Amino acid sequence: MSYFPSLTKMEIYIIVVMFMVGVISADTNVVIQTKLGKLTGVKTESNLKFLGVPYAEPPTGNLRWADPVGRSPWSPAMYDATKLKPGCPQKGCFDMNPAFVCPTEVSEDCLYLNVFAPVTANSSSPNLPVLVYLHGGNFVHMSSNAVLFDGSVLSANGQMIVITLDYRLGALGFLVTATSNTAAGAKGNYGILDQRMALKWVKDNIRDFGGDPDKMTLSGQSAGAQSAVIHMMTPASSKYFRSVILESSPFSIPYKTRVEALYLGDLLADNLGCSRGDINCMATKSADDIATAQHTIRSDPTSIKLLDFFEPLGPFVDGSVVPYQPLEAMNHGIIADVPILIGTTSEETRIYIYEAWKKNLTVPLYTAALIGTFGPNHITQVLQMYPPVHVKDERDDLQHVSTDFIFSCAKRNFSRVAINQNKNAIFNYVFDHAFSFDGWGPNFTCCKNHVCHGSEIPYMFQPDFKNMTLNADEKVMADALGKYWSNFVKSGNPNKGGVTPPTLEWPQYNNSTNFSALRFATPRNNILVNVKQELCDFWDTVGYGA
Protein backbone atom coordinates (compact mmCIF):
# COMPACT_ATOMS: atom_id res chain seq x y z
CA MET A 1 0.00 0.00 0.00
CA SER A 2 1.25 3.46 -0.82
CA TYR A 3 -0.03 5.40 2.17
CA PHE A 4 3.08 7.53 2.63
CA PRO A 5 3.14 9.38 -0.71
CA SER A 6 5.13 12.59 -1.04
CA LEU A 7 6.46 12.56 2.55
CA THR A 8 9.76 14.35 3.06
CA LYS A 9 12.71 12.58 4.69
CA MET A 10 12.22 14.74 7.78
CA GLU A 11 8.51 13.78 8.03
CA ILE A 12 9.37 10.09 7.68
CA TYR A 13 12.05 10.52 10.36
CA ILE A 14 9.54 12.18 12.72
CA ILE A 15 7.02 9.38 12.17
CA VAL A 16 9.66 6.72 12.83
CA VAL A 17 10.69 8.48 16.04
CA MET A 18 7.03 8.65 17.09
CA PHE A 19 6.74 4.91 16.51
CA MET A 20 9.86 4.28 18.60
CA VAL A 21 8.76 6.37 21.57
CA GLY A 22 5.23 5.00 21.46
CA VAL A 23 3.40 8.19 20.54
CA ILE A 24 1.92 6.26 17.65
CA SER A 25 2.14 2.56 16.83
CA ALA A 26 2.53 0.81 13.50
CA ASP A 27 -0.83 -0.94 13.82
CA THR A 28 -2.91 2.04 14.90
CA ASN A 29 -2.00 4.97 12.64
CA VAL A 30 -1.84 5.68 8.94
CA VAL A 31 -0.95 8.79 6.95
CA ILE A 32 -2.28 9.79 3.54
CA GLN A 33 -1.74 12.73 1.24
CA THR A 34 -4.80 14.69 0.08
CA LYS A 35 -5.13 17.79 -2.09
CA LEU A 36 -5.51 19.85 1.09
CA GLY A 37 -2.63 18.31 3.00
CA LYS A 38 -1.61 15.21 4.90
CA LEU A 39 -3.99 13.35 7.21
CA THR A 40 -3.19 11.06 10.11
CA GLY A 41 -5.91 8.45 10.61
CA VAL A 42 -6.50 5.27 12.56
CA LYS A 43 -5.71 1.79 11.29
CA THR A 44 -7.45 -1.28 12.74
CA GLU A 45 -7.43 -4.92 11.68
CA SER A 46 -10.34 -4.29 9.34
CA ASN A 47 -10.44 -0.55 8.62
CA LEU A 48 -8.74 2.71 7.89
CA LYS A 49 -10.60 5.50 9.67
CA PHE A 50 -10.16 9.22 9.14
CA LEU A 51 -12.34 11.03 11.66
CA GLY A 52 -13.31 14.68 11.89
CA VAL A 53 -12.02 15.69 8.47
CA PRO A 54 -13.02 19.31 7.68
CA TYR A 55 -14.95 19.73 4.42
CA ALA A 56 -15.72 23.44 4.85
CA GLU A 57 -14.52 26.42 6.83
CA PRO A 58 -16.09 26.72 10.31
CA PRO A 59 -19.55 28.37 9.92
CA THR A 60 -18.81 30.91 12.62
CA GLY A 61 -18.45 34.68 12.79
CA ASN A 62 -19.21 36.18 9.37
CA LEU A 63 -19.89 32.68 8.01
CA ARG A 64 -22.84 32.10 10.34
CA TRP A 65 -26.02 32.16 8.20
CA ALA A 66 -23.92 32.19 5.05
CA ASP A 67 -23.34 29.64 2.32
CA PRO A 68 -20.59 27.18 3.24
CA VAL A 69 -17.06 28.01 2.10
CA GLY A 70 -14.68 25.28 0.95
CA ARG A 71 -11.92 24.32 3.36
CA SER A 72 -8.53 25.94 2.89
CA PRO A 73 -5.47 23.66 2.66
CA TRP A 74 -3.74 22.88 5.95
CA SER A 75 -0.51 21.88 4.23
CA PRO A 76 2.32 21.70 5.19
CA ALA A 77 0.91 20.80 8.59
CA MET A 78 -0.25 17.25 9.35
CA TYR A 79 -3.97 17.14 10.15
CA ASP A 80 -4.99 14.88 13.04
CA ALA A 81 -7.97 12.81 11.86
CA THR A 82 -7.89 10.25 14.64
CA LYS A 83 -10.80 11.55 16.73
CA LEU A 84 -14.42 12.45 16.12
CA LYS A 85 -15.37 16.12 16.17
CA PRO A 86 -18.31 17.63 18.10
CA GLY A 87 -21.76 17.59 16.55
CA CYS A 88 -23.63 20.72 15.50
CA PRO A 89 -25.41 22.77 18.23
CA GLN A 90 -28.71 21.29 19.44
CA LYS A 91 -30.82 20.93 22.54
CA GLY A 92 -33.10 18.18 23.78
CA CYS A 93 -31.65 15.30 21.76
CA PHE A 94 -31.49 12.95 24.76
CA ASP A 95 -35.07 13.86 25.71
CA MET A 96 -36.48 13.06 22.27
CA ASN A 97 -34.17 10.31 20.96
CA PRO A 98 -32.32 7.25 22.25
CA ALA A 99 -28.91 8.17 23.59
CA PHE A 100 -26.97 6.27 20.93
CA VAL A 101 -27.94 8.79 18.19
CA CYS A 102 -27.02 11.94 20.14
CA PRO A 103 -23.67 13.77 20.12
CA THR A 104 -21.52 13.63 23.23
CA GLU A 105 -20.47 17.25 22.67
CA VAL A 106 -21.43 20.08 20.32
CA SER A 107 -19.78 23.09 18.71
CA GLU A 108 -20.74 25.66 16.08
CA ASP A 109 -17.52 24.59 14.35
CA CYS A 110 -19.04 21.30 13.18
CA LEU A 111 -18.67 20.88 9.40
CA TYR A 112 -16.67 17.66 9.45
CA LEU A 113 -16.96 14.23 7.87
CA ASN A 114 -15.68 10.77 8.71
CA VAL A 115 -14.16 8.32 6.23
CA PHE A 116 -14.34 4.56 6.88
CA ALA A 117 -12.40 2.47 4.37
CA PRO A 118 -11.50 -1.23 4.22
CA VAL A 119 -7.98 -1.84 5.49
CA THR A 120 -6.96 -2.85 1.97
CA ALA A 121 -7.98 0.51 0.47
CA ASN A 122 -5.19 1.90 -1.66
CA SER A 123 -4.77 5.38 -3.07
CA SER A 124 -2.77 4.01 -6.00
CA SER A 125 -5.80 1.94 -7.06
CA PRO A 126 -8.86 4.09 -6.31
CA ASN A 127 -11.67 1.77 -7.37
CA LEU A 128 -13.81 1.28 -4.27
CA PRO A 129 -17.46 2.41 -4.41
CA VAL A 130 -18.53 5.10 -1.97
CA LEU A 131 -21.60 5.44 0.26
CA VAL A 132 -22.29 8.93 1.67
CA TYR A 133 -24.74 8.74 4.59
CA LEU A 134 -26.82 11.65 5.92
CA HIS A 135 -28.12 11.23 9.47
CA GLY A 136 -31.72 12.00 10.44
CA GLY A 137 -33.06 13.85 13.47
CA ASN A 138 -35.87 16.15 12.24
CA PHE A 139 -33.21 18.63 11.05
CA VAL A 140 -32.60 19.61 14.71
CA HIS A 141 -30.93 16.60 16.35
CA MET A 142 -28.30 13.87 16.02
CA SER A 143 -24.72 13.78 14.78
CA SER A 144 -22.34 11.56 12.85
CA ASN A 145 -20.18 11.39 15.99
CA ALA A 146 -22.87 9.29 17.73
CA VAL A 147 -21.93 5.68 18.42
CA LEU A 148 -24.67 4.35 16.12
CA PHE A 149 -23.14 5.79 12.95
CA ASP A 150 -19.73 4.11 13.06
CA GLY A 151 -19.25 2.92 9.48
CA SER A 152 -16.47 0.40 10.22
CA VAL A 153 -18.47 -2.84 9.89
CA LEU A 154 -20.51 -1.70 6.89
CA SER A 155 -17.33 -0.58 5.13
CA ALA A 156 -15.24 -3.66 5.89
CA ASN A 157 -17.97 -6.22 5.17
CA GLY A 158 -19.16 -4.43 2.05
CA GLN A 159 -15.68 -3.57 0.76
CA MET A 160 -16.68 0.03 0.14
CA ILE A 161 -15.90 3.44 1.58
CA VAL A 162 -18.52 4.84 3.96
CA ILE A 163 -18.75 8.59 4.62
CA THR A 164 -20.75 10.09 7.50
CA LEU A 165 -20.99 13.82 8.09
CA ASP A 166 -22.48 16.66 10.10
CA TYR A 167 -24.42 19.60 8.69
CA ARG A 168 -25.91 22.68 10.32
CA LEU A 169 -29.14 21.99 12.19
CA GLY A 170 -32.13 23.93 13.47
CA ALA A 171 -32.01 27.70 13.35
CA LEU A 172 -28.30 27.78 12.54
CA GLY A 173 -28.97 25.64 9.49
CA PHE A 174 -32.41 26.81 8.37
CA LEU A 175 -33.17 30.31 9.68
CA VAL A 176 -35.00 32.55 7.19
CA THR A 177 -35.28 36.32 7.61
CA ALA A 178 -34.86 37.36 3.95
CA THR A 179 -38.15 38.20 2.26
CA SER A 180 -36.82 36.98 -1.12
CA ASN A 181 -33.83 35.12 -2.52
CA THR A 182 -32.17 38.44 -3.36
CA ALA A 183 -33.08 40.36 -0.21
CA ALA A 184 -30.69 40.85 2.70
CA GLY A 185 -30.86 38.51 5.68
CA ALA A 186 -30.70 34.80 6.38
CA LYS A 187 -31.82 32.81 3.33
CA GLY A 188 -32.20 29.40 4.96
CA ASN A 189 -31.40 25.90 3.66
CA TYR A 190 -27.79 26.23 4.81
CA GLY A 191 -27.83 22.65 6.10
CA ILE A 192 -28.70 21.42 2.61
CA LEU A 193 -25.88 23.50 1.12
CA ASP A 194 -23.51 22.04 3.71
CA GLN A 195 -24.42 18.56 2.52
CA ARG A 196 -23.81 19.59 -1.09
CA MET A 197 -20.42 20.98 -0.12
CA ALA A 198 -19.59 17.67 1.57
CA LEU A 199 -20.61 15.76 -1.57
CA LYS A 200 -18.30 17.97 -3.63
CA TRP A 201 -15.47 17.39 -1.15
CA VAL A 202 -15.91 13.63 -1.41
CA LYS A 203 -16.03 13.79 -5.21
CA ASP A 204 -12.82 15.85 -5.29
CA ASN A 205 -10.84 13.94 -2.67
CA ILE A 206 -12.04 10.35 -2.39
CA ARG A 207 -9.35 8.98 -4.73
CA ASP A 208 -6.80 9.73 -2.02
CA PHE A 209 -8.64 7.26 0.22
CA GLY A 210 -8.93 4.55 -2.45
CA GLY A 211 -12.43 5.49 -3.60
CA ASP A 212 -13.84 5.94 -7.08
CA PRO A 213 -15.55 9.37 -7.43
CA ASP A 214 -17.68 7.99 -10.27
CA LYS A 215 -19.19 5.32 -8.00
CA MET A 216 -20.87 7.44 -5.33
CA THR A 217 -24.23 6.59 -3.73
CA LEU A 218 -26.09 9.11 -1.59
CA SER A 219 -27.99 7.65 1.35
CA GLY A 220 -29.95 8.99 4.28
CA GLN A 221 -32.52 8.13 6.90
CA SER A 222 -35.53 10.26 7.89
CA ALA A 223 -34.41 13.92 7.55
CA GLY A 224 -31.33 12.54 5.83
CA ALA A 225 -33.53 10.79 3.29
CA GLN A 226 -35.57 13.96 2.80
CA SER A 227 -32.29 15.75 2.16
CA ALA A 228 -31.28 13.12 -0.39
CA VAL A 229 -34.55 13.70 -2.26
CA ILE A 230 -33.80 17.43 -2.30
CA HIS A 231 -30.40 16.69 -3.83
CA MET A 232 -32.14 14.57 -6.45
CA MET A 233 -34.10 17.67 -7.51
CA THR A 234 -31.15 19.80 -8.62
CA PRO A 235 -28.30 19.12 -11.07
CA ALA A 236 -26.06 21.17 -8.77
CA SER A 237 -26.25 18.25 -6.31
CA SER A 238 -27.26 15.21 -8.38
CA LYS A 239 -24.06 15.38 -10.44
CA TYR A 240 -22.20 14.06 -7.39
CA PHE A 241 -23.90 10.63 -7.11
CA ARG A 242 -25.13 7.83 -9.35
CA SER A 243 -27.70 6.13 -7.07
CA VAL A 244 -29.66 6.80 -3.87
CA ILE A 245 -30.84 4.91 -0.79
CA LEU A 246 -33.88 6.46 0.94
CA GLU A 247 -34.63 5.11 4.41
CA SER A 248 -37.91 6.26 5.97
CA SER A 249 -38.41 9.52 4.11
CA PRO A 250 -41.61 11.19 5.40
CA PHE A 251 -42.77 12.29 1.95
CA SER A 252 -46.08 13.70 3.18
CA ILE A 253 -44.57 16.11 5.70
CA PRO A 254 -44.42 19.42 3.84
CA TYR A 255 -41.39 21.63 3.73
CA LYS A 256 -42.01 25.17 4.90
CA THR A 257 -43.28 27.95 2.68
CA ARG A 258 -41.43 31.25 2.89
CA VAL A 259 -44.26 32.71 4.96
CA GLU A 260 -43.98 29.87 7.48
CA ALA A 261 -40.17 30.04 7.54
CA LEU A 262 -40.27 33.80 8.16
CA TYR A 263 -42.75 33.25 10.98
CA LEU A 264 -40.33 30.81 12.60
CA GLY A 265 -37.59 33.41 12.22
CA ASP A 266 -39.79 35.95 13.99
CA LEU A 267 -40.41 33.52 16.85
CA LEU A 268 -36.67 32.95 17.21
CA ALA A 269 -35.99 36.70 17.27
CA ASP A 270 -38.67 37.18 19.93
CA ASN A 271 -37.15 34.45 22.09
CA LEU A 272 -33.66 35.90 21.71
CA GLY A 273 -34.81 39.39 22.64
CA CYS A 274 -34.20 40.80 19.16
CA SER A 275 -36.43 42.80 16.86
CA ARG A 276 -38.08 40.64 14.23
CA GLY A 277 -35.87 40.28 11.18
CA ASP A 278 -32.86 41.80 12.94
CA ILE A 279 -30.20 39.37 11.79
CA ASN A 280 -27.42 41.56 13.23
CA CYS A 281 -28.88 41.23 16.72
CA MET A 282 -29.34 37.47 16.38
CA ALA A 283 -25.75 37.16 15.12
CA THR A 284 -24.50 38.50 18.48
CA LYS A 285 -26.09 35.58 20.35
CA SER A 286 -24.13 32.45 21.19
CA ALA A 287 -24.75 29.18 19.40
CA ASP A 288 -25.98 27.78 22.71
CA ASP A 289 -28.49 30.65 23.07
CA ILE A 290 -29.78 29.99 19.57
CA ALA A 291 -30.04 26.24 20.14
CA THR A 292 -31.96 26.87 23.38
CA ALA A 293 -34.31 29.30 21.64
CA GLN A 294 -34.97 26.93 18.73
CA HIS A 295 -35.79 24.14 21.17
CA THR A 296 -38.31 26.45 22.84
CA ILE A 297 -40.05 27.66 19.69
CA ARG A 298 -40.21 24.28 17.96
CA SER A 299 -43.29 23.42 20.02
CA ASP A 300 -45.20 26.28 18.34
CA PRO A 301 -46.94 25.38 15.06
CA THR A 302 -46.19 27.51 12.01
CA SER A 303 -49.70 26.93 10.68
CA ILE A 304 -52.85 25.00 11.50
CA LYS A 305 -51.32 21.88 9.89
CA LEU A 306 -50.92 19.16 12.50
CA LEU A 307 -48.04 17.69 10.52
CA ASP A 308 -45.96 20.73 11.45
CA PHE A 309 -45.53 19.20 14.90
CA PHE A 310 -43.57 16.31 13.37
CA GLU A 311 -40.98 18.61 11.80
CA PRO A 312 -41.34 22.27 12.81
CA LEU A 313 -37.85 23.33 11.63
CA GLY A 314 -36.08 22.46 8.42
CA PRO A 315 -35.91 23.17 4.68
CA PHE A 316 -38.22 25.62 2.96
CA VAL A 317 -39.20 25.79 -0.69
CA ASP A 318 -37.11 28.67 -2.07
CA GLY A 319 -37.40 27.64 -5.72
CA SER A 320 -33.64 27.17 -5.95
CA VAL A 321 -31.92 25.01 -3.33
CA VAL A 322 -35.29 23.37 -2.66
CA PRO A 323 -37.31 23.81 -5.88
CA TYR A 324 -40.47 21.93 -4.87
CA GLN A 325 -42.12 19.73 -2.29
CA PRO A 326 -40.79 16.17 -2.83
CA LEU A 327 -43.88 14.57 -4.38
CA GLU A 328 -44.47 17.74 -6.38
CA ALA A 329 -40.92 17.49 -7.73
CA MET A 330 -41.58 13.92 -8.80
CA ASN A 331 -44.81 14.93 -10.53
CA HIS A 332 -42.90 17.68 -12.36
CA GLY A 333 -40.38 15.10 -13.60
CA ILE A 334 -37.29 16.82 -12.22
CA ILE A 335 -36.06 14.03 -9.93
CA ALA A 336 -32.71 12.60 -11.07
CA ASP A 337 -33.11 9.36 -13.01
CA VAL A 338 -30.90 7.10 -10.90
CA PRO A 339 -31.37 3.65 -9.30
CA ILE A 340 -33.34 3.98 -6.06
CA LEU A 341 -33.44 1.70 -3.03
CA ILE A 342 -36.29 2.89 -0.82
CA GLY A 343 -38.13 1.65 2.25
CA THR A 344 -39.85 2.19 5.56
CA THR A 345 -40.28 0.47 8.90
CA SER A 346 -43.63 -1.08 9.77
CA GLU A 347 -44.43 1.31 12.67
CA GLU A 348 -42.74 4.53 11.63
CA THR A 349 -44.78 7.05 13.63
CA ARG A 350 -45.30 5.10 16.86
CA ILE A 351 -42.51 6.92 18.69
CA TYR A 352 -43.90 10.32 17.63
CA ILE A 353 -47.50 9.51 18.53
CA TYR A 354 -46.58 8.18 21.97
CA GLU A 355 -44.29 11.14 22.62
CA ALA A 356 -46.98 13.61 21.59
CA TRP A 357 -49.66 11.93 23.73
CA LYS A 358 -48.18 10.73 27.00
CA LYS A 359 -51.50 9.25 28.13
CA ASN A 360 -54.40 7.42 26.55
CA LEU A 361 -55.96 8.99 23.48
CA THR A 362 -59.76 9.02 23.56
CA VAL A 363 -61.97 8.49 20.52
CA PRO A 364 -62.99 12.19 20.38
CA LEU A 365 -59.33 13.23 20.49
CA TYR A 366 -58.50 10.63 17.83
CA THR A 367 -61.20 12.10 15.59
CA ALA A 368 -60.00 15.63 16.30
CA ALA A 369 -56.42 14.68 15.39
CA LEU A 370 -57.62 13.29 12.06
CA ILE A 371 -59.64 16.43 11.33
CA GLY A 372 -56.61 18.58 12.22
CA THR A 373 -54.51 16.62 9.73
CA PHE A 374 -56.88 15.92 6.85
CA GLY A 375 -59.61 18.53 7.29
CA PRO A 376 -63.36 18.01 7.58
CA ASN A 377 -63.85 17.05 3.92
CA HIS A 378 -62.07 13.71 4.27
CA ILE A 379 -62.83 12.77 7.87
CA THR A 380 -65.71 10.42 7.04
CA GLN A 381 -63.66 8.42 4.55
CA VAL A 382 -60.61 8.32 6.82
CA LEU A 383 -62.69 7.00 9.73
CA GLN A 384 -64.15 4.35 7.45
CA MET A 385 -60.67 3.17 6.48
CA TYR A 386 -59.24 3.55 9.99
CA PRO A 387 -62.12 3.13 12.47
CA PRO A 388 -61.41 3.55 16.19
CA VAL A 389 -60.69 -0.03 17.26
CA HIS A 390 -58.74 0.47 20.50
CA VAL A 391 -61.42 2.65 22.10
CA LYS A 392 -59.64 2.91 25.46
CA ASP A 393 -56.48 4.21 23.82
CA GLU A 394 -56.44 5.24 20.17
CA ARG A 395 -52.71 5.89 19.91
CA ASP A 396 -52.12 2.63 18.05
CA ASP A 397 -54.85 3.43 15.54
CA LEU A 398 -53.43 6.93 15.02
CA GLN A 399 -50.02 5.35 14.48
CA HIS A 400 -51.43 3.18 11.69
CA VAL A 401 -53.06 6.16 9.96
CA SER A 402 -49.98 8.38 10.18
CA THR A 403 -47.50 5.66 9.20
CA ASP A 404 -49.50 4.87 6.07
CA PHE A 405 -50.13 8.49 5.10
CA ILE A 406 -46.71 9.97 5.90
CA PHE A 407 -44.47 7.04 5.04
CA SER A 408 -45.74 3.78 3.54
CA CYS A 409 -48.28 5.00 0.98
CA ALA A 410 -46.48 8.24 0.18
CA LYS A 411 -43.44 6.05 -0.55
CA ARG A 412 -45.57 3.94 -2.89
CA ASN A 413 -46.81 7.06 -4.65
CA PHE A 414 -43.25 8.31 -5.10
CA SER A 415 -42.13 4.90 -6.39
CA ARG A 416 -44.99 4.56 -8.86
CA VAL A 417 -44.44 7.98 -10.37
CA ALA A 418 -40.69 7.37 -10.51
CA ILE A 419 -41.00 4.05 -12.32
CA ASN A 420 -43.37 5.57 -14.86
CA GLN A 421 -41.02 8.48 -15.56
CA ASN A 422 -37.54 7.03 -15.19
CA LYS A 423 -35.67 4.18 -16.81
CA ASN A 424 -33.60 3.17 -13.79
CA ALA A 425 -34.57 0.45 -11.33
CA ILE A 426 -36.38 0.89 -8.01
CA PHE A 427 -36.18 -1.59 -5.13
CA ASN A 428 -38.60 -1.30 -2.20
CA TYR A 429 -38.32 -2.75 1.30
CA VAL A 430 -40.27 -2.94 4.55
CA PHE A 431 -38.27 -3.37 7.74
CA ASP A 432 -40.38 -5.39 10.17
CA HIS A 433 -38.26 -6.56 13.09
CA ALA A 434 -38.22 -5.28 16.69
CA PHE A 435 -34.98 -5.20 18.69
CA SER A 436 -34.20 -8.31 20.72
CA PHE A 437 -31.97 -6.09 22.86
CA ASP A 438 -32.90 -3.09 25.00
CA GLY A 439 -32.03 -0.51 22.39
CA TRP A 440 -34.60 2.15 23.21
CA GLY A 441 -33.76 2.72 26.86
CA PRO A 442 -36.07 3.82 29.71
CA ASN A 443 -37.44 6.94 27.97
CA PHE A 444 -38.91 5.14 24.98
CA THR A 445 -40.65 2.07 26.35
CA CYS A 446 -43.39 2.57 23.72
CA CYS A 447 -40.95 1.15 21.16
CA LYS A 448 -40.03 -1.98 23.09
CA ASN A 449 -41.14 -4.97 20.99
CA HIS A 450 -42.21 -2.58 18.23
CA VAL A 451 -40.60 -1.54 14.94
CA CYS A 452 -40.25 2.19 15.45
CA HIS A 453 -38.72 4.81 13.19
CA GLY A 454 -35.01 4.07 12.74
CA SER A 455 -35.19 0.41 13.77
CA GLU A 456 -33.17 -0.71 10.74
CA ILE A 457 -30.13 1.46 11.48
CA PRO A 458 -28.39 -0.77 14.09
CA TYR A 459 -28.63 -3.70 11.69
CA MET A 460 -27.18 -1.60 8.89
CA PHE A 461 -24.18 -0.27 10.84
CA GLN A 462 -23.80 -3.06 13.47
CA PRO A 463 -21.91 -0.74 15.85
CA ASP A 464 -19.68 -2.17 18.55
CA PHE A 465 -21.95 -1.12 21.39
CA LYS A 466 -22.74 -3.14 24.49
CA ASN A 467 -26.49 -2.42 24.32
CA MET A 468 -26.74 -3.72 20.74
CA THR A 469 -25.78 -7.37 20.87
CA LEU A 470 -27.56 -9.19 18.05
CA ASN A 471 -28.91 -12.71 18.44
CA ALA A 472 -28.16 -15.36 15.81
CA ASP A 473 -31.21 -14.65 13.64
CA GLU A 474 -30.62 -10.91 13.82
CA LYS A 475 -27.00 -11.36 12.77
CA VAL A 476 -28.12 -13.28 9.69
CA MET A 477 -30.64 -10.56 8.84
CA ALA A 478 -28.14 -7.76 9.47
CA ASP A 479 -25.49 -9.41 7.30
CA ALA A 480 -28.03 -9.85 4.50
CA LEU A 481 -29.07 -6.21 4.77
CA GLY A 482 -25.43 -5.16 4.58
CA LYS A 483 -24.88 -7.30 1.48
CA TYR A 484 -27.92 -5.87 -0.27
CA TRP A 485 -26.79 -2.33 0.56
CA SER A 486 -23.20 -2.88 -0.58
CA ASN A 487 -24.33 -4.64 -3.76
CA PHE A 488 -26.56 -1.68 -4.56
CA VAL A 489 -23.70 0.77 -3.96
CA LYS A 490 -21.48 -1.27 -6.29
CA SER A 491 -23.93 -1.93 -9.10
CA GLY A 492 -27.26 -0.13 -8.61
CA ASN A 493 -28.83 -3.54 -7.99
CA PRO A 494 -28.99 -5.13 -4.50
CA ASN A 495 -28.74 -8.61 -6.03
CA LYS A 496 -25.47 -8.05 -7.91
CA GLY A 497 -21.98 -6.93 -7.05
CA GLY A 498 -21.10 -8.78 -3.85
CA VAL A 499 -18.72 -11.67 -3.33
CA THR A 500 -21.55 -13.69 -1.79
CA PRO A 501 -24.91 -12.36 -3.04
CA PRO A 502 -27.91 -12.85 -0.73
CA THR A 503 -29.83 -16.02 -1.49
CA LEU A 504 -33.21 -14.29 -1.70
CA GLU A 505 -33.67 -12.39 -4.96
CA TRP A 506 -34.95 -8.86 -4.27
CA PRO A 507 -37.56 -8.14 -6.95
CA GLN A 508 -37.38 -4.91 -8.87
CA TYR A 509 -40.48 -2.77 -8.59
CA ASN A 510 -41.55 -2.71 -12.22
CA ASN A 511 -45.18 -1.65 -12.55
CA SER A 512 -47.98 0.17 -10.78
CA THR A 513 -50.10 -2.90 -10.06
CA ASN A 514 -47.59 -5.15 -8.31
CA PHE A 515 -46.07 -3.19 -5.42
CA SER A 516 -43.50 -5.76 -4.35
CA ALA A 517 -41.09 -5.27 -1.46
CA LEU A 518 -38.46 -7.20 0.43
CA ARG A 519 -39.51 -7.65 4.04
CA PHE A 520 -36.61 -7.68 6.48
CA ALA A 521 -37.58 -9.91 9.39
CA THR A 522 -36.47 -12.87 11.49
CA PRO A 523 -36.10 -15.80 11.30
CA ARG A 524 -35.94 -15.05 7.55
CA ASN A 525 -36.64 -12.33 5.06
CA ASN A 526 -39.46 -12.73 2.57
CA ILE A 527 -41.12 -11.04 -0.41
CA LEU A 528 -44.34 -9.06 -0.06
CA VAL A 529 -46.62 -8.32 -3.00
CA ASN A 530 -49.22 -5.56 -3.30
CA VAL A 531 -48.23 -4.09 0.07
CA LYS A 532 -51.17 -2.24 1.68
CA GLN A 533 -52.81 -1.98 -1.72
CA GLU A 534 -56.32 -1.04 -0.57
CA LEU A 535 -55.09 1.49 1.98
CA CYS A 536 -52.61 3.10 -0.39
CA ASP A 537 -55.17 3.22 -3.19
CA PHE A 538 -57.33 5.19 -0.76
CA TRP A 539 -54.56 7.65 0.10
CA ASP A 540 -53.82 8.15 -3.58
CA THR A 541 -57.37 9.45 -3.99
CA VAL A 542 -57.06 11.74 -0.97
CA GLY A 543 -53.65 13.04 -2.00
CA TYR A 544 -50.47 13.74 -0.08
CA GLY A 545 -50.41 17.52 -0.12
CA ALA A 546 -48.29 17.88 -3.26
Side-chain angles (χ1 to χ4, degrees), residues 383-404:
L383 284 171
Q384 287 175 346
M385 296 300 294
Y386 298 88
V389 175
H390 305 85
V391 293
K392 292 184 178 180
D393 186 0
E394 286 299 309
R395 285 180 293 182
D396 272 356
D397 289 329
L398 189 57
Q399 183 276 131
H400 290 307
V401 180
S402 52
T403 290
D404 289 351

Side-chain angles (χ1 to χ4, degrees), residues 369-389:
L370 296 180
I371 294 174
T373 304
F374 307 111
N377 293 335
H378 296 293
I379 187 61
T380 301
Q381 301 99 302
V382 174
L383 284 171
Q384 287 175 346
M385 296 300 294
Y386 298 88
V389 175

Side-chain angles (χ1 to χ4, degrees), residues 73-221:
W74 52 80
S75 181
M78 182 86 72
Y79 191 89
D80 182 2
T82 62
K83 297 178 182 179
L84 293 166
K85 294 292 187 180
C88 292
Q90 55 193 274
K91 292 288 184 179
C93 185
F94 291 97
D95 297 330
M96 304 184 70
N97 301 279
F100 53 71
V101 301
C102 296
T104 54
E105 58 179 323
V106 298
S107 169
E108 192 171 4
D109 177 6
C110 62
L111 299 187
Y112 297 88
L113 55 78
N114 309 302
V115 182
F116 302 88
V119 72
T120 55
N122 195 319
S123 60
S124 64
S125 181
N127 59 4
L128 290 174
V130 182
L131 175 68
V132 179
Y133 181 85
L134 305 176
H135 71 77
N138 300 83
F139 295 105
V140 294
H141 289 144
M142 300 191 190
S143 168
S144 67
N145 81 11
V147 65
L148 182 61
F149 302 118
D150 187 304
S152 301
V153 173
L154 185 61
S155 169
N157 289 352
Q159 287 298 293
M160 61 183 177
I161 293 178
V162 174
I163 309 287
T164 62
L165 60 104
D166 280 303
Y167 53 92
R168 280 175 283 182
L169 302 171
L172 290 169
F174 297 95
L175 175 69
V176 177
T177 64
T179 55
S180 71
N181 288 345
T182 57
K187 295 178 173 60
N189 293 329
Y190 299 114
I192 302 300
L193 292 173
D194 292 343
Q195 297 166 5
R196 183 186 293 172
M197 178 67 75
L199 287 169
K200 181 182 186 302
W201 191 98
V202 175
K203 187 84 168 181
D204 291 344
N205 293 278
I206 201 62
R207 288 187 184 277
D208 298 324
F209 299 86
D212 186 337
D214 296 323
K215 298 178 181 177
M216 287 173 55
T217 295
L218 179 60
S219 172
Q221 187 269 343

Side-chain angles (χ1 to χ4, degrees), residues 336-347:
D337 186 3
V338 297
I340 300 171
L341 192 155
I342 182 172
T344 58
T345 68
S346 56
E347 299 177 273

Side-chain angles (χ1 to χ4, degrees), residues 472-496:
D473 286 340
E474 287 177 313
K475 189 66 169 67
V476 170
M477 181 189 68
D479 287 346
L481 189 154
K483 290 176 181 177
Y484 284 123
W485 259 236
S486 61
N487 280 353
F488 184 80
V489 173
K490 292 172 184 176
S491 69
N493 186 325
N495 304 299
K496 300 177 181 179

